[in-house]
């Protein structure tokens, strides 16, 4: 499972944005694999408080870039297709320097550069807040008994962890070197800036020329326009917005049925082994083993239990692997609302 920064209501599985790939290369390439998934994809931005879902992570791991890859043994490995280097260059203060490969581009041809890193920090450092139009005074509560806040975050981020410790993000003149300076040392710095979203798309849709020129300490019309689009504009699937910076690109999405990713032909690095992955909705987890046995799907990742493992162990040609991961299931209790 996947997740330091995730929250949803109820018992849904949620997950932090984290790009993961296997460390072995198949002897042959091409073809299609069907992956049976319980939850449906909802958004291309998996970092918002209301859209961070494991179902999104499963898709976005194949399409969105980040400087490090979480390996099967839970160590981080520099993704050399994207990065020349990523290192701590100073301990006091802690300073992380990221150098991006000059050939790295989004699927629409725009470069992957410092602006994309800057957007992650800007959207998740928690500095920007705006007046809440529904606020009328202290002690006001909503219909559910929750106190109405005086301000709302400009960016509806799922978590500020790590990014709130960064004081500045600076870009080199060519946009290929990113320098992040921390106010407070952050040990898990390799887990930051993943995934990157296309900053040029957010600028275009928000009508802002340069997001790095927008004040990150005081709210403004430009900041709110960026926050509004970042928070809601990636929901669903729009091919003009869901540009890829990794191995695959979303080809189609049929709600209630499937989502298909195909090889990103603009990808500059080592190409994907598969031609496509079909994320097929199998919403009943008890039906997933049968779908696997019937050949309707080739991969499932259900929540393990003893009966399920025994059922799968009896299916010819199926390999069962139970491993630690980065995702967790959780219930969230609102203790402020009696």
């Amino acid at each position: 499972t996947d997740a330091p920064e995730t929250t949803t209501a109820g018992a849904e599985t949620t997950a932090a944005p984290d790009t993961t790939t296997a460390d072995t290369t198949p002897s042959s390439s091409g073809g299609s694999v069907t992956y049976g998934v319980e939850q449906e994809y909802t958004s291309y931005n998996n970092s918002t408080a209301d859209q961070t879902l494991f179902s999104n992570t499963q898709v976005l791991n194949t399409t969105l870039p980040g400087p490090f890859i979480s390996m099967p043994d839970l160590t981080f490995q520099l993704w050399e297709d994207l990065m020349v280097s990523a290192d701590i260059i100073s301990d006091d203060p802690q300073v992380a320097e990221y150098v991006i490969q000059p050939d790295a581009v989004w699927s629409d041809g725009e470069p992957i550069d410092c602006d994309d890193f800057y957007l992650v920090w800007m959207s998740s450092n928690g500095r920007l807040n705006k007046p809440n139009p529904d606020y009328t005074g202290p002690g006001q509560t909503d219909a559910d008994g929750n106190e109405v806040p005086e301000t709302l975050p400009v960016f509806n981020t799922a978590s500020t962890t790590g990014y709130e410790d960064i004081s500045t993000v600076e870009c080199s003149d060519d946009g290929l070197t990113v320098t992040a300076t921390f106010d407070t040392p952050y040990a898990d710095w390799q887990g930051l800036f993943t995934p990157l979203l296309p900053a040029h798309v957010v600028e275009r849709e928000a009508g802002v020329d340069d997001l790095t020129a927008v004040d990150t300490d005081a709210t403004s019309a430009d900041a709110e326009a960026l926050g509004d689009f970042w928070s809601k504009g990636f929901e669903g699937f729009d091919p003009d917005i869901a540009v890829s910076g990794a191995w695959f690109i979303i080809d189609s999405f049929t709600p209630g049925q499937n989502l298909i990713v195909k090889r990103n032909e603009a990808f500059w690095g080592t190409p994907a082994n598969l031609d496509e992955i079909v994320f097929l909705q199998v919403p009943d987890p008890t039906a997933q083993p049968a779908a696997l046995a019937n050949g309707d799907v080739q991969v499932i990742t259900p929540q393990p239990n003893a009966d399920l493992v025994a059922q799968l162990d009896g299916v010819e040609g199926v390999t069962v692997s139970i491993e630690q991961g980065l995702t967790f299931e959780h219930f969230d209790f609102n203790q402020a609302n009696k």
Side-chain angles (χ1 to χ4, degrees):
T1 63
D2 243 319
E5 303 99 326
T6 65
T7 307
T8 55
E12 291 184 324
T13 305
T14 65
D18 191 279
T19 304
T20 307
T21 184
D23 60 350
T24 57
T25 302
S27 58
S28 60
S29 62
S32 173
V33 161
T34 301
Y35 189 155
V37 295
E38 182 179 344
Q39 292 179 335
E40 187 165 66
Y41 163 90
T42 64
S43 175
Y44 208 65
N45 183 359
N46 203 31
S47 298
T48 67
D50 57 346
Q51 296 296 322
T52 178
L53 295 169
F54 182 50
S55 56
N56 292 333
T57 300
Q58 289 171 304
V59 173
L60 301 182
N61 277 353
T62 72
T63 66
L64 290 181
F68 289 91
I69 291 174
S70 176
M71 301 302 290
D73 64 357
L74 305 185
T75 60
F76 282 116
Q77 178 175 300
L78 186 72
W79 188 27
E80 294 183 352
D81 280 343
L82 177 67
M83 305 302 301
V84 175
S85 62
D87 299 292
I88 296 296
I89 60 172
S90 169
D91 290 323
D92 188 15
Q94 181 175 317
V95 179
E97 181 185 79
Y98 305 83
V99 181
I100 305 164
Q101 294 284 2
D103 293 336
V105 293
W106 294 100
S107 54
D108 60 3
E110 290 292 321
I112 298 174
D113 60 17
C114 183
D115 287 1
D116 304 312
F117 282 73
Y118 193 94
L119 174 62
V120 176
W121 171 67
M122 181 184 194
S123 61
S124 293
N125 61 29
R127 295 184 182 183
L128 290 171
N129 293 284
K130 60 186 178 182
N132 182 355
D134 297 326
Y135 179 78
T136 59
Q140 177 192 0
T141 57
D142 62 19
D144 296 321
N146 299 308
E147 186 170 352
V148 176
E150 186 173 358
T151 62
L152 297 172
V154 169
F155 292 87
N156 185 30
T157 184
S159 174
T160 61
T161 301
Y163 302 108
E164 63 188 354
D165 298 322
I166 298 174
S167 56
T168 60
V169 172
E170 299 173 288
C171 300
S172 62
D173 289 341
D174 63 2
L176 295 179
T177 300
V178 184
T179 305
T181 301
F182 291 76
D183 277 334
T184 304
Y186 185 65
D188 193 26
W189 67 275
Q190 291 175 312
L192 298 176
F193 298 107
T194 297
L196 299 173
L197 283 168
H200 66 283
V201 169
V202 177
E203 288 175 331
R204 181 189 73 210
E205 298 297 322
V208 175
D209 290 335
D210 181 5
L211 62 82
T212 66
V214 175
D215 192 338
T216 57
D217 291 314
T219 245
S220 63
D222 279 351
E224 291 191 26
L226 291 167
D228 288 346
F229 181 79
W230 184 91
S231 299
K232 290 294 183 183
F234 286 101
E235 292 180 10
F237 169 58
D238 180 341
D240 292 329
I241 290 171
V243 297
S244 172
W247 307 273
F248 292 91
I249 189 169
I250 297 178
D251 180 68
S252 64
F253 174 43
T254 306
Q257 296 184 35
N258 62 39
L259 182 146
I260 301 173
V261 298
K262 293 191 174 181
R263 273 184 179 159
N264 173 14
E265 298 300 331
F267 184 58
W268 67 95
T270 305
N273 287 301
L274 293 168
D275 294 324
E276 70 173 19
I277 304 171
V278 179
F279 295 91
L280 179 69
Q281 260 214 282
V282 186
D284 180 0
T286 64
Q288 290 189 3
L292 191 67
N294 295 337
D296 296 331
V297 301
Q298 285 78 57
V299 181
I300 60 173
T301 52
Q303 294 298 303
N305 63 65
D307 290 340
L308 178 66
V309 172
Q311 184 178 357
L312 290 172
D313 280 339
V315 180
E316 185 178 354
V318 169
T319 299
V320 178
S321 178
I322 303 174
E323 309 292 345
Q324 292 185 3
L326 301 172
T327 307
F328 54 87
E329 292 206 7
H330 52 98
F331 290 95
D332 300 292
F333 296 94
N334 180 0
Q335 299 189 49
N337 182 357
K338 295 180 182 179

mmCIF file of all heavy atoms in Angstrom, residues 39 72 79 123 126 145 147-148 151 180 188 212 235 243 274 280 284 291 294:
data_model
loop_
_atom_site.group_PDB
_atom_site.id
_atom_site.type_symbol
_atom_site.label_atom_id
_atom_site.label_comp_id
_atom_site.label_asym_id
_atom_site.label_seq_id
_atom_site.Cartn_x
_atom_site.Cartn_y
_atom_site.Cartn_z
ATOM 1 N N GLN A 39 -11.372 0.118 -7.069
ATOM 2 C CA GLN A 39 -11.844 1.497 -7.118
ATOM 3 C C GLN A 39 -11.560 2.105 -8.483
ATOM 4 O O GLN A 39 -10.647 1.692 -9.196
ATOM 5 C CB GLN A 39 -11.156 2.346 -6.045
ATOM 6 C CG GLN A 39 -11.550 1.995 -4.617
ATOM 7 C CD GLN A 39 -10.816 2.858 -3.609
ATOM 8 O OE1 GLN A 39 -9.740 3.368 -3.879
ATOM 9 N NE2 GLN A 39 -11.406 3.021 -2.428
ATOM 10 N N PRO A 72 10.913 -2.152 -4.861
ATOM 11 C CA PRO A 72 10.196 -3.191 -4.115
ATOM 12 C C PRO A 72 10.711 -3.421 -2.699
ATOM 13 O O PRO A 72 9.961 -3.859 -1.831
ATOM 14 C CB PRO A 72 10.395 -4.438 -4.993
ATOM 15 C CG PRO A 72 10.533 -3.889 -6.370
ATOM 16 C CD PRO A 72 11.302 -2.611 -6.217
ATOM 17 N N TRP A 79 15.705 8.261 -10.394
ATOM 18 C CA TRP A 79 15.198 7.910 -11.720
ATOM 19 C C TRP A 79 16.055 8.632 -12.754
ATOM 20 O O TRP A 79 15.848 9.803 -13.044
ATOM 21 C CB TRP A 79 13.721 8.283 -11.856
ATOM 22 C CG TRP A 79 13.120 7.761 -13.131
ATOM 23 C CD1 TRP A 79 13.512 6.665 -13.835
ATOM 24 C CD2 TRP A 79 12.031 8.324 -13.858
ATOM 25 N NE1 TRP A 79 12.736 6.490 -14.953
ATOM 26 C CE2 TRP A 79 11.812 7.503 -14.996
ATOM 27 C CE3 TRP A 79 11.212 9.432 -13.656
ATOM 28 C CZ2 TRP A 79 10.820 7.775 -15.930
ATOM 29 C CZ3 TRP A 79 10.212 9.691 -14.593
ATOM 30 C CH2 TRP A 79 10.021 8.873 -15.713
ATOM 31 N N SER A 123 2.018 24.486 -3.984
ATOM 32 C CA SER A 123 0.687 23.943 -3.730
ATOM 33 C C SER A 123 0.594 23.199 -2.404
ATOM 34 O O SER A 123 -0.514 23.022 -1.884
ATOM 35 C CB SER A 123 0.273 23.010 -4.870
ATOM 36 O OG SER A 123 1.168 21.914 -4.977
ATOM 37 N N GLY A 126 1.339 24.990 2.364
ATOM 38 C CA GLY A 126 0.343 25.451 3.322
ATOM 39 C C GLY A 126 0.382 26.921 3.664
ATOM 40 O O GLY A 126 -0.295 27.370 4.598
ATOM 41 N N GLY A 145 -22.542 20.595 12.347
ATOM 42 C CA GLY A 145 -22.018 20.933 13.669
ATOM 43 C C GLY A 145 -20.550 21.280 13.689
ATOM 44 O O GLY A 145 -19.972 21.499 14.750
ATOM 45 N N GLU A 147 -17.314 23.690 13.176
ATOM 46 C CA GLU A 147 -17.047 25.117 13.211
ATOM 47 C C GLU A 147 -16.595 25.592 11.835
ATOM 48 O O GLU A 147 -15.749 24.958 11.188
ATOM 49 C CB GLU A 147 -15.987 25.447 14.257
ATOM 50 C CG GLU A 147 -15.787 26.947 14.437
ATOM 51 C CD GLU A 147 -14.910 27.300 15.628
ATOM 52 O OE1 GLU A 147 -14.582 26.369 16.404
ATOM 53 O OE2 GLU A 147 -14.558 28.474 15.782
ATOM 54 N N VAL A 148 -17.171 26.678 11.361
ATOM 55 C CA VAL A 148 -16.828 27.221 10.051
ATOM 56 C C VAL A 148 -15.525 28.000 10.176
ATOM 57 O O VAL A 148 -15.434 28.945 10.978
ATOM 58 C CB VAL A 148 -17.950 28.143 9.523
ATOM 59 C CG1 VAL A 148 -17.539 28.782 8.197
ATOM 60 C CG2 VAL A 148 -19.248 27.345 9.351
ATOM 61 N N THR A 151 -10.720 31.142 7.344
ATOM 62 C CA THR A 151 -9.995 31.095 6.073
ATOM 63 C C THR A 151 -10.000 29.674 5.519
ATOM 64 O O THR A 151 -10.227 28.701 6.244
ATOM 65 C CB THR A 151 -8.536 31.564 6.232
ATOM 66 O OG1 THR A 151 -7.863 30.688 7.136
ATOM 67 C CG2 THR A 151 -8.479 33.005 6.735
ATOM 68 N N ALA A 180 16.287 23.547 -3.311
ATOM 69 C CA ALA A 180 15.299 23.645 -2.231
ATOM 70 C C ALA A 180 16.040 23.800 -0.908
ATOM 71 O O ALA A 180 16.841 22.941 -0.534
ATOM 72 C CB ALA A 180 14.413 22.410 -2.198
ATOM 73 N N ASP A 188 13.175 12.635 5.134
ATOM 74 C CA ASP A 188 12.559 11.928 4.003
ATOM 75 C C ASP A 188 12.506 12.807 2.757
ATOM 76 O O ASP A 188 11.540 12.771 2.006
ATOM 77 C CB ASP A 188 11.154 11.468 4.405
ATOM 78 C CG ASP A 188 10.566 10.464 3.414
ATOM 79 O OD1 ASP A 188 11.343 9.772 2.734
ATOM 80 O OD2 ASP A 188 9.330 10.382 3.338
ATOM 81 N N THR A 212 6.063 31.105 -10.843
ATOM 82 C CA THR A 212 7.183 31.359 -9.936
ATOM 83 C C THR A 212 7.267 32.823 -9.536
ATOM 84 O O THR A 212 7.984 33.164 -8.589
ATOM 85 C CB THR A 212 8.527 30.928 -10.555
ATOM 86 O OG1 THR A 212 8.818 31.749 -11.689
ATOM 87 C CG2 THR A 212 8.490 29.474 -10.978
ATOM 88 N N GLU A 235 -9.719 16.942 -12.218
ATOM 89 C CA GLU A 235 -10.683 15.869 -11.964
ATOM 90 C C GLU A 235 -11.198 15.300 -13.286
ATOM 91 O O GLU A 235 -11.376 16.017 -14.272
ATOM 92 C CB GLU A 235 -11.835 16.390 -11.112
ATOM 93 C CG GLU A 235 -11.403 16.728 -9.686
ATOM 94 C CD GLU A 235 -12.540 17.258 -8.834
ATOM 95 O OE1 GLU A 235 -13.704 17.191 -9.292
ATOM 96 O OE2 GLU A 235 -12.263 17.736 -7.720
ATOM 97 N N VAL A 243 -1.436 15.512 -19.568
ATOM 98 C CA VAL A 243 -0.225 15.235 -20.341
ATOM 99 C C VAL A 243 0.710 14.367 -19.491
ATOM 100 O O VAL A 243 0.713 14.444 -18.269
ATOM 101 C CB VAL A 243 0.472 16.528 -20.796
ATOM 102 C CG1 VAL A 243 -0.444 17.317 -21.725
ATOM 103 C CG2 VAL A 243 0.901 17.385 -19.618
ATOM 104 N N LEU A 274 5.417 -2.796 -22.034
ATOM 105 C CA LEU A 274 4.098 -3.102 -22.577
ATOM 106 C C LEU A 274 3.650 -2.039 -23.569
ATOM 107 O O LEU A 274 4.050 -0.873 -23.484
ATOM 108 C CB LEU A 274 3.073 -3.194 -21.450
ATOM 109 C CG LEU A 274 3.218 -4.353 -20.472
ATOM 110 C CD1 LEU A 274 2.314 -4.127 -19.261
ATOM 111 C CD2 LEU A 274 2.881 -5.674 -21.154
ATOM 112 N N LEU A 280 -9.131 -2.473 -15.512
ATOM 113 C CA LEU A 280 -10.515 -2.928 -15.624
ATOM 114 C C LEU A 280 -11.176 -2.897 -14.255
ATOM 115 O O LEU A 280 -10.655 -3.456 -13.286
ATOM 116 C CB LEU A 280 -10.562 -4.353 -16.180
ATOM 117 C CG LEU A 280 -11.944 -4.986 -16.326
ATOM 118 C CD1 LEU A 280 -12.737 -4.287 -17.429
ATOM 119 C CD2 LEU A 280 -11.808 -6.483 -16.627
ATOM 120 N N ASP A 284 -16.162 -5.692 -7.019
ATOM 121 C CA ASP A 284 -16.359 -6.682 -5.962
ATOM 122 C C ASP A 284 -15.048 -7.433 -5.764
ATOM 123 O O ASP A 284 -14.645 -8.242 -6.612
ATOM 124 C CB ASP A 284 -17.470 -7.650 -6.354
ATOM 125 C CG ASP A 284 -17.716 -8.709 -5.287
ATOM 126 O OD1 ASP A 284 -17.020 -8.692 -4.252
ATOM 127 O OD2 ASP A 284 -18.593 -9.564 -5.508
ATOM 128 N N ALA A 291 -11.950 -13.620 -11.789
ATOM 129 C CA ALA A 291 -11.556 -12.898 -13.005
ATOM 130 C C ALA A 291 -10.134 -13.272 -13.406
ATOM 131 O O ALA A 291 -9.814 -13.394 -14.595
ATOM 132 C CB ALA A 291 -11.681 -11.395 -12.780
ATOM 133 N N ASN A 294 -10.187 -16.899 -14.764
ATOM 134 C CA ASN A 294 -10.820 -16.967 -16.083
ATOM 135 C C ASN A 294 -9.998 -16.307 -17.175
ATOM 136 O O ASN A 294 -10.338 -16.409 -18.358
ATOM 137 C CB ASN A 294 -12.200 -16.295 -16.036
ATOM 138 C CG ASN A 294 -13.166 -17.035 -15.143
ATOM 139 O OD1 ASN A 294 -12.999 -18.224 -14.888
ATOM 140 N ND2 ASN A 294 -14.188 -16.321 -14.650
#
